[in-house]
Amino acid sequence: MNIILVGYGKMGKAIEEIAVKKGHTISLKVDIDNADELNAVNAAKADVAIEFTGPHSAFNNVMKCLELGIPVVCGSTGWLEHYEEAKEYCEVNNRTLVYASNYSIGVNLFFEVNKQLAKLMSQHPDYNVFMEEIHHTQKKDAPSGTAITLAEQILESMPQKKKWVNEFSNDPSVLSILSERIDPAPGTHKIKYTSAIDDIEIIHTAHNRAGFAGGAVLAAEYAAANKGVWSMKDVLGL
């Protein structure tokens, strides 16, 4: 494939390394200094775009790719108030978008474990649940998109929890998410169920960015071959 990288920070460079090893070509690297190069001429040479920037630029980047007719894989978080608009544009105009809060294969398996555990624990009100997430200090949003996904999965299965908050709370109807920013942590997410008798914990710890980058390239391969709006659950067949 010919891939456009929208965002060429640490994640963009990690994606480039894996994509090239898999035989793909990076046809364009778009960053803040050359945003005008994301245009129709360069789009015509590309099979897919992979977007990893930040919460304030992601939606505009995604929409520009879609308007240019490029299938786009977006890994930026913090822009989901606009997700339905992007999804509707894809459906009306026969475009392709893959979005995930986390492209790591391990994290997406962790999502499935989290959902199953939440269903089991919903029958045992003696346990309270809270979450912790740790990322590097360059992470701009808190809680992380991955943490929000995990929290929303828990809320779906546990009616006693009405909402999540990004702080400690003694309110039994609230799911607390504690966020820390410590270098050089690529990402750790912990869900802990605690009672007077015992605790149950599940933890995912990323050791580096390779898992995220590899999953993003896998998603790009999927996006290039499948029209529509997709998630990593679709990409992995979960």
Side-chain angles (χ1 to χ4, degrees):
M1 299 185 301
N2 288 321
I3 301 171
I4 292 177
L5 293 179
V6 184
Y8 195 58
K10 291 179 180 177
M11 271 302 301
K13 291 178 175 67
I15 290 166
E16 177 183 34
E17 183 178 350
I18 288 176
V20 170
K21 282 181 181 177
K22 294 187 76 174
H24 303 305
T25 300
I26 306 302
S27 60
L28 178 66
K29 302 166 191 173
V30 179
D31 220 333
I32 193 166
D33 297 325
N34 67 330
D36 59 330
E37 292 185 37
L38 186 58
N39 54 40
V41 173
N42 288 321
K45 305 171 188 174
D47 298 300
V48 66
I50 303 178
E51 200 277 351
F52 270 85
T53 58
H56 302 299
S57 56
F59 176 65
N60 288 337
N61 291 332
V62 166
M63 291 306 297
K64 189 166 186 182
C65 289
L66 295 176
E67 288 161 4
L68 290 168
I70 316 169
V72 58
V73 171
C74 178
S76 300
T77 57
W79 65 279
L80 287 191
E81 67 271 19
H82 300 298
Y83 174 76
E84 289 301 322
E85 186 179 340
K87 179 180 177 182
E88 183 178 357
Y89 183 89
C90 282
E91 292 169 346
V92 169
N93 295 281
N94 194 30
R95 300 292 197 252
T96 299
L97 169 65
V98 179
Y99 173 75
S101 60
N102 194 309
Y103 282 88
S104 161
I105 293 170
V107 164
N108 281 275
L109 297 173
F110 189 66
F111 286 153
E112 299 304 304
V113 173
N114 180 55
K115 288 192 291 186
Q116 183 62 26
L117 182 57
K119 288 177 185 175
L120 293 171
M121 298 308 292
S122 66
Q123 307 302 313
H124 301 280
D126 289 344
Y127 288 86
N128 191 25
V129 58
F130 70 92
M131 294 176 51
E132 296 178 29
E133 60 102 353
I134 304 170
H135 281 86
H136 51 85
T137 57
Q138 292 176 310
K139 178 78 171 165
K140 295 180 177 66
D141 52 327
S144 68
T146 301
I148 292 172
T149 299
L150 291 163
E152 290 178 346
Q153 289 176 337
I154 292 169
L155 295 180
E156 285 176 10
S157 293
M158 304 189 75
Q160 62 268 41
K161 294 292 185 184
K162 305 303 181 186
K163 65 177 182 178
W164 60 262
V165 295
N166 193 208
E167 61 186 2
F168 178 77
S169 173
N170 284 315
D171 186 340
S173 70
V174 166
L175 171 59
S176 295
I177 306 174
L178 307 180
S179 297
E180 291 186 79
R181 296 293 175 262
I182 303 169
D183 286 327
T188 296
H189 295 85
K190 177 168 77 172
I191 297 99
K192 184 173 184 177
Y193 293 84
T194 183
S195 75
I197 298 170
D198 56 15
D199 296 341
I200 300 171
E201 296 181 34
I202 55 172
I203 302 172
H204 179 274
T205 302
H207 301 307
N208 52 53
R209 290 180 173 82
F212 310 111
V217 174
L218 193 66
E221 292 167 346
Y222 188 91
N226 295 275
K227 288 277 187 183
V229 179
W230 310 103
S231 70
M232 273 303 279
K233 189 169 182 177
D234 300 302
V235 173
L236 297 174
L238 298 174

